[in-house]
Amino acid sequence: MRIVIPLFQGFTALDVVGPYEVLRMLPEAQVVFTAPEAGPVRDGVGVLALSATATPAEVDSCDVLVVPGGPGARTMMRDEAFTAWIRRLHDGTTWTTSVCTGSLILGGAGLLEGLRATTHWGAVETLEAFGATYTPERVVVQGKIVTAAGVSSGIDMALTLFERIAGRTAAEAAQLAIEYDPQPPFDAGSPAKAPHEAMELLLARRR
Amino acid sequence: MRIVIPLFQGFTALDVVGPYEVLRMLPEAQVVFTAPEAGPVRDGVGVLALSATATPAEVDSCDVLVVPGGPGARTMMRDEAFTAWIRRLHDGTTWTTSVCTGSLILGGAGLLEGLRATTHWGAVETLEAFGATYTPERVVVQGKIVTAAGVSSGIDMALTLFERIAGRTAAEAAQLAIEYDPQPPFDAGSPAKAPHEAMELLLARRR
């Protein structure tokens, strides 16, 4: 069970680590983090670095592909060598998945044409430019392609995938292991639920 | 707003990255990851490495301390130099926090004596050996000490803290930014909720 998670300059760390902490518990899981050069790769904030353990040239197949998002995804979605590699991996995967704006990279690889898919709520137009139909659900399964909404949704996506691969009880055991019994103190986790003031504050910061 | 997150061999990555992705959005946040030597530090699975940006000797104060857990926490809770440093930092913090078995390190530093606290459900006895009273809540606030339950609870803890530091609207904006609208596909995230078979499977694997 080889799981490949590509890292790139400007990824979002929780997009990577949420699914990782779940999928690493799959039977005989072997997780590989790739980057053009092995070693630390900085996230979108520029503070945290995760280490790549292999280069794309060393990885030509996998069972599960997890493509994270982040500010860097908008560069990577146009990187022809990278998207060609994603496409080659996808040919042999059992599951091809994305978290947050990782779906833009799947889109750039031409994998979402005509499919329903999700992404971070702030990236809907870009996703649709790749021929996908944005679907405002937490996890969208289309054949072997599974896209997840923004950042934290990767945990829900990974548990959904875990059940399909290893069955319900094993997936529940994984949920219990990470004590995933979420109790957010507010109910502002989507544009439909967040107070107007919170959205305004966030958009003002991004301007 | 200096936020210090100590890394150590055998930490759990989601304990670190969950709070990081929230607290990095605090006004003027500066996040520092420490380890005895700067550079990559391997997690409890031995696969993922996060990079430390400073050594403890270089960090003698912070506003917010976030102590992660993981298999390595049971070694670190007995490391006198490390727990003495945690204690020194705690003297000057505004908030001292832990995720998962990070609370055992706070316990080893003598900070939980006589307090209510939480931890991963599998570490209750060890927590209580440090004089704390285990409280099966997601986030437990006792003065300036905030402990969180297992692994994924660090996200809820960080949002709780965010509100206290920066106010409700800013905290809601942080929740919206990471699209934290959790929808776990099962309801097995705590021992009270998980089916018996899931708990048995998990315990069998750990034996």
Side-chain angles (χ1 to χ4, degrees):
Chain A
M1 177 59 59
R2 188 195 241 183
I3 301 155
V4 168
I5 309 181
L7 303 176
F8 47 81
Q9 295 293 329
F11 69 93
T12 292
L14 187 51
D15 292 14
V16 170
V17 172
Y20 163 73
E21 286 291 10
V22 174
L23 299 177
R24 68 174 174 79
M25 289 185 271
L26 280 170
E28 301 183 64
Q30 181 212 356
V31 185
V32 179
F33 297 97
T34 64
E37 294 174 30
V41 184
R42 274 185 203 281
D43 78 344
V45 188
V47 172
L48 183 55
L50 269 59
S51 293
T53 53
T55 66
E58 294 166 328
V59 177
D60 59 6
S61 70
C62 65
D63 300 293
V64 178
L65 173 62
V66 180
V67 181
R74 288 175 190 268
T75 302
M76 299 311 288
M77 73 186 187
R78 295 198 185 90
D79 182 313
E80 287 187 18
F82 182 70
T83 55
W85 175 71
I86 292 288
R87 213 160 35 236
R88 282 199 303 279
L89 282 185
H90 170 72
D91 283 342
T93 59
T94 309
W95 296 98
T96 297
T97 75
S98 65
V99 181
C100 197
T101 51
S103 57
L104 303 184
I105 292 170
L106 298 187
L111 303 180
L112 298 183
E113 185 77 41
L115 298 186
R116 294 192 309 116
T118 190
T119 190
H120 190 278
W121 54 264
V124 172
E125 286 179 26
T126 312
L127 180 74
E128 296 213 311
F130 290 117
T133 302
Y134 172 66
T135 307
E137 291 167 11
R138 192 89 176 140
V139 178
V140 175
V141 181
Q142 289 271 278
K144 75 173 190 178
I145 297 184
V146 185
T147 52
V151 192
S152 60
S153 65
I155 301 173
D156 297 326
M157 184 276 285
L159 287 170
T160 301
L161 201 62
F162 206 113
E163 181 183 24
R164 305 246 182 162
I165 294 171
R168 174 74 175 249
T169 300
E172 288 171 333
Q175 183 181 4
L176 181 59
I178 62 163
E179 206 162 346
Y180 185 50
D181 180 25
Q183 295 168 28
F186 332 108
D187 192 16
S190 75
K193 294 174 173 178
H196 181 70
E197 296 73 21
M199 178 62 91
E200 283 301 301
L201 180 62
L202 192 55
L203 295 178
R205 257 190 227 147
R206 292 184 171 193
R207 257 170 227 137
Chain B
M1 175 60 59
R2 188 196 241 181
I3 300 156
V4 169
I5 309 181
L7 303 176
F8 47 83
Q9 295 292 329
F11 69 93
T12 291
L14 188 51
D15 293 14
V16 170
V17 172
Y20 163 73
E21 286 290 11
V22 174
L23 299 177
R24 68 174 175 80
M25 290 184 271
L26 280 170
E28 300 184 63
Q30 181 212 357
V31 184
V32 179
F33 297 96
T34 64
E37 293 173 30
V41 184
R42 274 184 202 282
D43 77 344
V45 188
V47 173
L48 183 55
L50 268 59
S51 292
T53 53
T55 65
E58 294 166 330
V59 176
D60 59 5
S61 70
C62 64
D63 300 293
V64 177
L65 173 63
V66 181
V67 181
R74 289 175 190 267
T75 302
M76 299 311 288
M77 73 187 187
R78 295 197 185 89
D79 181 315
E80 288 186 19
F82 182 69
T83 55
W85 175 71
I86 293 288
R87 211 158 39 235
R88 281 199 305 279
L89 282 185
H90 171 71
D91 283 343
T93 59
T94 309
W95 297 98
T96 297
T97 76
S98 65
V99 181
C100 197
T101 51
S103 57
L104 304 183
I105 292 170
L106 298 187
L111 303 181
L112 298 183
E113 185 78 39
L115 298 185
R116 294 192 309 117
T118 191
T119 189
H120 190 277
W121 55 264
V124 173
E125 287 179 28
T126 312
L127 180 74
E128 295 213 311
F130 290 117
T133 302
Y134 173 66
T135 307
E137 291 166 11
R138 192 90 176 139
V139 178
V140 175
V141 181
Q142 290 271 279
K144 75 173 189 178
I145 296 184
V146 185
T147 52
V151 192
S152 60
S153 64
I155 301 172
D156 296 326
M157 184 278 285
L159 287 169
T160 301
L161 200 62
F162 206 111
E163 181 182 25
R164 305 247 181 162
I165 294 171
R168 173 74 175 249
T169 299
E172 288 171 332
Q175 183 181 5
L176 181 59
I178 61 162
E179 206 162 345
Y180 185 50
D181 180 25
Q183 294 168 29
F186 332 109
D187 192 16
S190 75
K193 294 174 174 179
H196 180 70
E197 296 73 21
M199 177 63 91
E200 282 303 300
L201 180 63
L202 192 55
L203 294 178
R205 257 191 227 148
R206 290 184 173 193
R207 260 172 224 136

